[in-house]
Amino acid sequence: MYSEKVMDHFSHPRNVGELPNPDGVGQVGNPVCGDIMRVEIKVDDGIISDIRFKTFGCGAAIATSSMATEMVKGKTLVEALEVSNKAVAEALDGLPPQKMHCSNLAASAVHAAIKDYLEKHGDLDLGIDPASIRIEEHGHDEPEE
Amino acid sequence: MYSEKVMDHFSHPRNVGELPNPDGVGQVGNPVCGDIMRVEIKVDDGIISDIRFKTFGCGAAIATSSMATEMVKGKTLVEALEVSNKAVAEALDGLPPQKMHCSNLAASAVHAAIKDYLEKHGDLDLGIDPASIRIEEHGHDEPEE
Amino acid sequence: MNRIYLDNAATTPVRREVFEAMVPYLTDKFGNPSSIHSYGREARAALDRAREQVATAIGATPEEIIFTAGGSEADNLAIKGTALSMRGRKSHVITSAVEHHAVLHPVEALEKLGFSTTVLPVDSEGMVDPDDVRRAITPETFLISIMYANNEVGTIQPIEEISQIAREAGVLFHTDAVQAVGHIPVDVGSLGVDMLSLSGHKFYGPKGVGALYVRRGVRPTPLLEGGAQERKRRAGTENMAGIVGMGAAIELAVGELEEMLACEEMLRDKLIRGLIQRIPDVKLNGHPTRRLPNNVNISFLYVEGESLLLNLDMQGIAASSGSACTSGSLAPSHVLIAMGIPHEVAHGSVRMTLGRYTQEADIDKVLNVMPGIVDKLREMSPVYVKTECGIKDICAQAHACDVAQPCGE
Amino acid sequence: MNRIYLDNAATTPVRREVFEAMVPYLTDKFGNPSSIHSYGREARAALDRAREQVATAIGATPEEIIFTAGGSEADNLAIKGTALSMRGRKSHVITSAVEHHAVLHPVEALEKLGFSTTVLPVDSEGMVDPDDVRRAITPETFLISIMYANNEVGTIQPIEEISQIAREAGVLFHTDAVQAVGHIPVDVGSLGVDMLSLSGHKFYGPKGVGALYVRRGVRPTPLLEGGAQERKRRAGTENMAGIVGMGAAIELAVGELEEMLACEEMLRDKLIRGLIQRIPDVKLNGHPTRRLPNNVNISFLYVEGESLLLNLDMQGIAASSGSACTSGSLAPSHVLIAMGIPHEVAHGSVRMTLGRYTQEADIDKVLNVMPGIVDKLREMSPVYVKTECGIKDICAQAHACDVAQPCGE
Ligand SMILES: Cc1ncc(COP(=O)(O)O)c(C=O)c1O
Ligand SMILES: Cc1ncc(COP(=O)(O)O)c(C=O)c1O
């Protein structure tokens, strides 16, 4: 069902946990649907210097969380905003179709954390309008069979 | 499917053939339904002294023909008229239900031969009115499932 | 006694390789393919592979294959499922008089639900006329179902012509290819069909498993609903061993198809010719050339099929018959009757269907014993009278006698 | 790695004896039971014997058994077939919210055909209230279908009470006993049911074969039509190996039922108790006592079922879950939701179903590894906050938290 990469990130998730004083926090999903992802970031000079996540959800949810945090760590906020849920799924060698819908929200959680950071630090000028950041709440939809 | 007795009578049918100058001939069934039985009898002193049959039909048709002729050979006409299709089937340890309908007419063929004999020899008084002999043309019916 | 099996149209033996492919799914690989754990995943992988094998064998894609419990379920799904999906939109179905009951009875059932149906006739060799199909189409027609090859007489229908007619009229076309798959080339692309039924036990796979090919975009309403198996088109935990067996069987059968076909045709023709030479008053039923490579169907006049079968069986030879006696109904085979064969001739029909295990020696044995059996039964038959025209009694009533043997010749 | 299989409700391994009983029907005894020759007769004899085995096991007569392709087909036949036979006469069906989809989806399909349906609720332990059944009956009601034992939470319904209500009202009663047969005593006479579904692969038989018991005189309209198999109640060449396997399996299962039942209950209770003792914030789903001997269904709060399953799988333990994630839909198990269990608790449910090959050591292994897995996932869970009430986040929205663990305690 899952690719080897998914299983690797699921069984050895990177960047699990919380940060002592995060600069930004993003959370997407809800327990009713069975997937919640929370991402905390540290930002230094417009760069994500540290990142942690906590996820309640299935294998895909945990693996995408791990992969998404790996993909944006050390990146500028602008670069990180360009990492889409779809890109995360692709970096994991794909997800089963039924998992694309609700379990592939880790990039959104990262975006939410960046938005939170930007909103809290409105005085910074990084050339990004936090209001322009759209948080995809329903992953990348596959066409229904 | 068939009992051992049926198979015995089918593979070694008794009384097959024709008689040189039969006293009575009876035929039932028709080729459209797939079963025809012809019985020829010799009668001496009101007793069936010899009998032969020819049958076009399935295993049950041949076996019942053989058995019926065996059962009436040497019997009086009155006794022979009492041998029913059902009795023939029972003597063969039964027939498959679907064979009771159209393949179990051998006794009828015997009855028809007796009727023919009586009609040809109307001057004899054996105490049987040939008109009273009913030829069952549809065997012993099982209730439809 | 060494038995000879000449009833491969009824069912075929399971190939050794097929059996061996099934064994793991009846022993340690027992998982349910819907489960996400390792047992489930190994079953899922086998299911996917079997689906690919079936798809490849008939030129389809895996998503176009719906596994079923056999040919009958596939036929029912194609006919009733399509009708249900068309309910309230279109109302007319076309089929032929020589279809298997698994097509004819569902079509009859549709009549009770308010659909109208046309059952096309066939000619004396069992062929449907494509022009009849064309003429039968009305604006209400949504489905045509014509079998690929007949199970009783082996006649192969002009499927490509009919499918083109269907396509031009915008009507869905289903073919029951249960007797064709694994025996003659079947490619859904070149046939141009929308749905096609097949059954594992007709090509050396196990009984109780089949498939319906459904072209992408075509959506018969499911008959069996429940779990999400087969993409919700057919519910029920998958018959894993059966499906794996059918996958292996179809791959093997299609791989050796040409070789087998040539071999079967050779033996078939030897058997037909041999019987006609050795026994008077016989008639080949079905088409002389457009015929399954393994099908021999012959009527032996004046004798009844079941008696013949039982006598063959006592000699260790397994065959079948279109006589009513085998089924217990009064009417003999609807296929022979639709071909205009008189009842009494139909009653004397015997079908011998060859297979990959048939040896030339088997054919020789049949040719050796058959004349004696027929003779013995004819001697016992009240309708058989040896005159110049040996068909005296029957001729009086049977219009098709001249097909069998010219009367008074 | 030594694997531990705790998903016997999904499917069971095929018993060695069952496999061995099947082998002849996948090798030399390959005949079609409809054939009259020796191959056919030996198949027919085996078919008759299997039918007798199934009938005997549930207290029925052989003519009352219709072989199907599994539990789903049996359910579909009972529901849709009965509805079709009642068409134009009566129009109302009653079922429960915790039925298998093989019952619920056919019932939904009936609505599209103009039938009306009542889906009864269950209590928090998954039980149907017989009084609800009684109240739901109208003069239009022709069928009640309530499952014997639930496949997810193991709750055993009061079938005898419901069947009596049905009988008094002159309404037919079907029960899906797929999870019950072979595990707890099932006797159609004392249950008083008119129809009963069973499936071979739930009691160590093969997948893809099942049966519907149909009381003499009850006549659901066939769904699969064609040949005269199963007395015209279900067409298609019989899955011989499957049927023979199911016959052998049911005889064996019923023969050792009491012994197995006691053994499974013992292990089941050890597992339930052990998990509750070792892991905080867990909740047993289903009825505490009226429950299948092999069913354990537990929600682990704050964690999601699939993650748990995958972790168990990595330790070689196969189980299943009622989480939406496994199915890919948003809503978790309809059974847990019908029992009033909040979505987030349902998402954390794991079902472990024991079987005849389950060892006490397997239970010990689960009890050993589960706390670590749950801990690890909870540490990773954003909804898990260790406070006095460990359920802070969830409590705000979940009314059934107090079922799981009193909040603020
Ligand atoms: C032409 C044809 N269609 C359908 C069927 C039914 O297939 P099954 O027996 O697998 O249900 C058969 C054989 O029995 C057949 O020969
Ligand atoms: C209660 C219940 N009913 C019906 C079924 C369907 O049976 P099958 O998978 O054999 O079609 C199952 C199991 O899958 C079940 O647990």
Side-chain angles (χ1 to χ4, degrees):
Chain A
M1 185 175 67
Y2 287 131
S3 71
E4 270 177 43
K5 274 208 189 144
V6 171
M7 287 312 295
D8 173 36
H9 278 267
F10 170 73
S11 41
H12 305 104
R14 284 62 145 172
N15 311 310
V16 177
E18 290 167 345
L19 292 172
N21 289 302
D23 294 324
V25 178
Q27 180 164 323
V28 295
N30 69 71
V32 175
C33 318
D35 284 297
I36 309 174
M37 302 172 184
R38 184 162 65 199
V39 166
E40 300 184 352
I41 52 172
K42 262 284 179 230
V43 182
D44 285 309
D45 287 337
I47 284 172
I48 298 176
S49 60
D50 207 356
I51 186 163
R52 291 287 185 283
F53 80 88
K54 278 200 168 184
T55 287
F56 166 89
C58 59
I62 290 172
T64 52
S65 302
S66 167
M67 176 56 92
T69 55
E70 280 286 277
M71 287 171 81
V72 301
K73 200 163 151 182
K75 292 263 163 70
T76 66
L77 296 183
V78 176
E79 286 165 342
L81 284 171
E82 277 163 6
V83 173
S84 66
N85 288 322
K86 195 165 166 233
V88 172
E90 279 164 10
L92 286 165
D93 293 341
L95 289 176
Q98 74 270 25
K99 297 293 182 179
M100 294 299 278
H101 187 66
C102 50
S103 309
N104 186 19
L105 293 173
S108 298
V110 172
H111 300 171
I114 295 174
K115 187 171 184 168
D116 178 54
Y117 166 77
L118 292 172
E119 280 166 354
K120 278 191 202 145
H121 302 76
D123 45 338
L124 282 173
D125 186 13
L126 291 162
I128 319 170
D129 174 8
S132 74
I133 303 177
R134 242 190 88 254
I135 311 297
E136 253 185 275
E137 270 284 1
H138 273 300
H140 169 70
D141 255 319
E142 277 289 280
E144 272 285 303
E145 217 319 277
Chain B
M1 185 175 71
Y2 286 131
S3 70
E4 270 176 43
K5 275 207 189 142
V6 171
M7 287 312 295
D8 174 35
H9 278 266
F10 169 74
S11 41
H12 305 104
R14 285 58 145 175
N15 310 310
V16 177
E18 292 167 343
L19 293 171
N21 288 303
D23 295 323
V25 178
Q27 179 164 323
V28 295
N30 68 72
V32 175
C33 318
D35 283 297
I36 308 173
M37 302 171 183
R38 182 162 66 201
V39 166
E40 300 183 351
I41 52 172
K42 264 275 178 241
V43 182
D44 286 309
D45 287 337
I47 283 174
I48 297 177
S49 59
D50 206 355
I51 185 162
R52 291 285 186 282
F53 80 89
K54 278 201 170 185
T55 289
F56 166 89
C58 60
I62 290 172
T64 52
S65 302
S66 168
M67 177 55 92
T69 54
E70 280 287 275
M71 286 170 81
V72 301
K73 200 163 154 182
K75 292 263 164 70
T76 65
L77 296 182
V78 177
E79 286 166 340
L81 285 170
E82 276 163 9
V83 172
S84 66
N85 290 320
K86 196 166 166 232
V88 173
E90 278 165 10
L92 287 164
D93 293 342
L95 290 175
Q98 75 269 25
K99 298 292 181 180
M100 294 300 277
H101 186 65
C102 50
S103 309
N104 186 19
L105 293 173
S108 298
V110 172
H111 300 173
I114 296 172
K115 186 171 184 166
D116 179 55
Y117 167 77
L118 292 172
E119 280 166 356
K120 279 191 201 143
H121 303 76
D123 44 339
L124 282 174
D125 186 14
L126 291 162
I128 318 169
D129 174 8
S132 75
I133 301 177
R134 240 192 88 254
I135 312 297
E136 251 186 277
E137 269 286 0
H138 272 300
H140 169 68
D141 254 318
E142 278 290 277
E144 272 284 303
E145 217 319 275
Chain C
M1 184 167 46
N2 216 342
R3 293 194 293 177
I4 294 174
Y5 187 71
L6 292 177
D7 202 8
N8 287 281
T11 195
T12 53
V14 179
R15 280 175 88 128
R16 191 82 213 166
E17 306 97 302
V18 168
F19 171 67
E20 275 158 17
M22 295 171 72
V23 168
Y25 300 92
L26 294 170
T27 50
D28 26 295
K29 299 196 174 182
F30 62 83
N32 184 325
S34 297
S35 301
I36 67 164
H37 46 62
S38 61
Y39 298 85
R41 293 195 305 270
E42 68 194 8
R44 167 68 52 189
L47 184 61
D48 289 347
R49 178 164 149 65
R51 197 184 303 282
E52 234 172 80
Q53 287 171 316
V54 172
T56 303
I58 60 168
T61 61
E63 309 77 47
E64 293 175 317
I65 303 300
I66 303 177
F67 287 123
T68 67
S72 300
E73 188 191 332
D75 286 342
N76 274 261
L77 177 55
I79 309 272
K80 295 183 184 175
T82 303
L84 287 174
S85 76
M86 289 289 174
R87 218 180 154 77
R89 291 197 284 151
K90 294 201 168 194
S91 65
H92 180 239
V93 183
I94 298 170
T95 189
S96 89
V98 295
E99 300 298 312
H100 192 271
H101 283 141
V103 166
L104 285 177
H105 289 165
V107 166
E108 283 160 23
L110 292 186
E111 285 179 13
K112 281 184 226 145
L113 294 176
F115 290 91
S116 67
T117 62
T118 300
V119 180
L120 298 174
V122 294
D123 67 17
S124 63
E125 288 163 345
M127 294 284 281
V128 171
D129 181 347
D131 280 335
D132 283 349
V133 177
R134 194 194 313 276
R135 280 188 291 266
I137 295 174
T138 78
E140 283 295 324
T141 311
F142 61 86
L143 179 67
I144 297 167
S145 179
I146 304 287
M147 73 200 312
Y148 197 152
N150 187 272
N151 47 304
E152 295 191 29
V153 296
T155 301
I156 297 171
Q157 302 294 348
I159 295 303
E160 286 164 44
E161 277 176 76
I162 299 172
S163 86
Q164 177 145 357
I165 293 168
R167 204 162 42 253
E168 282 163 11
V171 173
L172 291 173
F173 182 42
H174 165 252
T175 190
D176 174 344
V178 165
Q179 291 289 342
V181 170
H183 297 276
I184 56 176
V186 173
D187 180 85
V188 293
S190 58
L191 287 176
V193 297
D194 297 298
M195 290 176 280
L196 181 145
S197 303
L198 55 95
S199 178
H201 72 104
K202 307 293 190 184
F203 45 78
Y204 313 102
K207 278 172 265 301
V209 61
L212 182 67
Y213 156 79
V214 181
R215 181 183 298 290
R216 204 184 174 80
V218 178
R219 306 198 146 275
T221 300
L223 300 186
L224 304 183
E225 294 167 277
Q229 293 92 353
E230 301 298 307
R231 301 167 149 232
K232 302 203 178 154
R233 295 171 298 180
R234 197 273 191 180
T237 301
E238 296 84 349
N239 174 356
M240 280 305 303
I243 288 171
V244 166
M246 180 165 72
I250 201 169
E251 187 173 285
L252 290 163
V254 168
E256 68 181 23
L257 192 140
E258 279 178 50
E259 195 186 334
M260 274 303 304
L261 197 154
C263 174
E264 284 183 338
E265 273 186 344
M266 192 265 289
L267 292 179
R268 173 196 71 185
D269 293 342
K270 175 172 178 165
L271 180 53
I272 293 173
R273 264 196 308 273
L275 289 171
I276 289 176
Q277 280 163 5
R278 280 172 180 72
I279 307 174
D281 299 345
V282 304
K283 171 188 178 322
L284 177 68
N285 297 313
H287 199 282
T289 56
R290 285 189 60 95
R291 145 177 233 116
L292 284 173
N294 68 338
N295 178 290
V296 175
N297 188 311
I298 284 188
S299 282
F300 298 87
L301 299 187
Y302 322 120
V303 303
E304 194 281 324
E306 189 197 278
S307 292
L308 231 161
L309 292 193
L310 290 174
N311 274 291
L312 285 172
D313 187 50
M314 291 188 299
Q315 308 265 2
I317 299 165
S320 83
S321 132
S323 171
C325 263
T326 1
S327 67
S329 75
L330 277 178
S333 152
H334 69 284
V335 172
L336 299 176
I337 297 303
M339 289 161 62
I341 293 170
H343 278 65
E344 54 278 22
V345 178
H347 277 298
S349 76
V350 169
R351 179 185 72 179
M352 286 166 282
T353 42
L354 288 50
R356 69 189 305 276
Y357 302 106
T358 308
Q359 304 290 320
E360 186 153 8
D362 300 342
I363 302 302
D364 292 335
K365 167 98 191 261
V366 174
L367 292 177
N368 263 335
V369 305
M370 192 72 101
I373 292 173
V374 172
D375 250 19
K376 174 179 135 188
L377 289 172
R378 283 180 176 172
E379 282 305 324
M380 208 189 284
S381 170
V383 289
Y384 181 57
V385 186
K386 272 196 201 134
T387 60
E388 311 124 81
C389 169
I391 324 181
K392 203 188 65 171
D393 275 34
I394 284 181
C395 273
Q397 21 184 338
H399 61 280
C401 257
D402 22 50
V403 177
Q405 190 93 334
C407 281
E409 195 180 72
Chain D
M1 182 165 49
N2 216 340
R3 293 194 293 177
I4 295 173
Y5 187 72
L6 292 177
D7 202 8
N8 287 282
T11 196
T12 53
V14 178
R15 279 175 89 132
R16 190 82 212 167
E17 305 97 303
V18 168
F19 170 68
E20 275 158 16
M22 293 171 73
V23 168
Y25 300 92
L26 294 170
T27 51
D28 26 294
K29 300 195 174 184
F30 61 83
N32 184 326
S34 296
S35 302
I36 68 163
H37 46 62
S38 63
Y39 298 85
R41 294 196 304 270
E42 69 194 7
R44 167 69 51 190
L47 184 61
D48 289 347
R49 177 162 149 67
R51 198 184 302 282
E52 232 173 81
Q53 287 170 316
V54 172
T56 304
I58 61 169
T61 61
E63 308 77 47
E64 293 175 318
I65 302 300
I66 303 177
F67 287 123
T68 67
S72 299
E73 188 190 332
D75 286 343
N76 274 261
L77 176 56
I79 308 272
K80 295 182 184 176
T82 304
L84 287 175
S85 76
M86 288 289 174
R87 217 179 154 79
R89 292 197 283 151
K90 295 200 168 194
S91 65
H92 181 238
V93 182
I94 298 170
T95 188
S96 89
V98 296
E99 299 299 312
H100 192 271
H101 283 141
V103 166
L104 284 178
H105 290 164
V107 166
E108 283 160 24
L110 291 186
E111 285 180 14
K112 282 184 225 145
L113 294 176
F115 289 91
S116 68
T117 61
T118 300
V119 180
L120 298 174
V122 294
D123 67 17
S124 62
E125 288 162 343
M127 293 285 280
V128 171
D129 182 346
D131 281 335
D132 283 348
V133 177
R134 192 192 315 275
R135 280 188 292 264
I137 295 174
T138 77
E140 283 295 325
T141 310
F142 61 86
L143 179 66
I144 298 167
S145 179
I146 304 287
M147 74 199 313
Y148 196 152
N150 186 271
N151 46 306
E152 295 192 28
V153 297
T155 301
I156 297 170
Q157 302 294 348
I159 295 302
E160 286 165 45
E161 277 177 75
I162 299 172
S163 87
Q164 176 143 1
I165 292 168
R167 204 161 44 252
E168 283 163 11
V171 173
L172 290 173
F173 182 42
H174 165 252
T175 190
D176 175 344
V178 166
Q179 292 288 341
V181 170
H183 298 277
I184 56 176
V186 173
D187 180 86
V188 294
S190 57
L191 287 176
V193 297
D194 297 298
M195 290 176 279
L196 180 144
S197 304
L198 54 95
S199 178
H201 73 105
K202 307 293 190 184
F203 45 77
Y204 314 102
K207 278 172 266 299
V209 60
L212 182 66
Y213 156 80
V214 180
R215 181 183 298 291
R216 204 185 173 79
V218 178
R219 305 198 147 275
T221 300
L223 301 185
L224 304 183
E225 294 166 275
Q229 293 92 352
E230 300 300 306
R231 302 168 149 232
K232 301 203 178 155
R233 294 170 300 181
R234 197 275 192 181
T237 301
E238 296 85 349
N239 175 354
M240 281 305 303
I243 289 171
V244 165
M246 180 164 73
I250 201 168
E251 186 172 284
L252 289 163
V254 168
E256 67 182 23
L257 193 141
E258 278 178 49
E259 196 185 333
M260 274 303 304
L261 197 155
C263 174
E264 284 183 337
E265 273 185 345
M266 193 267 288
L267 293 179
R268 173 195 73 185
D269 294 342
K270 174 173 177 165
L271 180 53
I272 293 173
R273 264 199 308 274
L275 289 170
I276 290 175
Q277 279 164 5
R278 280 172 179 73
I279 307 174
D281 299 344
V282 303
K283 171 188 177 325
L284 178 69
N285 296 313
H287 199 281
T289 56
R290 284 189 61 95
R291 144 176 235 118
L292 284 173
N294 69 338
N295 178 290
V296 175
N297 187 311
I298 284 188
S299 283
F300 298 87
L301 299 187
Y302 321 121
V303 303
E304 193 280 324
E306 189 197 278
S307 293
L308 231 161
L309 292 194
L310 290 174
N311 275 291
L312 284 171
D313 188 50
M314 292 189 297
Q315 307 266 0
I317 299 165
S320 83
S321 132
S323 173
C325 263
T326 359
S327 67
S329 74
L330 277 178
S333 151
H334 69 284
V335 173
L336 299 177
I337 297 302
M339 290 161 62
I341 293 170
H343 278 65
E344 55 278 21
V345 178
H347 277 298
S349 75
V350 169
R351 178 186 72 179
M352 286 166 283
T353 41
L354 286 51
R356 68 189 305 276
Y357 302 107
T358 308
Q359 305 290 320
E360 187 154 6
D362 300 342
I363 303 301
D364 291 335
K365 168 99 189 263
V366 174
L367 292 176
N368 264 335
V369 306
M370 193 70 102
I373 292 173
V374 173
D375 250 19
K376 176 179 134 188
L377 289 171
R378 283 181 176 171
E379 282 304 325
M380 208 188 284
S381 170
V383 290
Y384 181 56
V385 186
K386 272 194 199 135
T387 59
E388 310 125 80
C389 169
I391 324 179
K392 203 187 65 172
D393 275 34
I394 284 178
C395 272
Q397 21 183 338
H399 62 279
C401 257
D402 23 50
V403 176
Q405 191 92 332
C407 282
E409 194 180 74

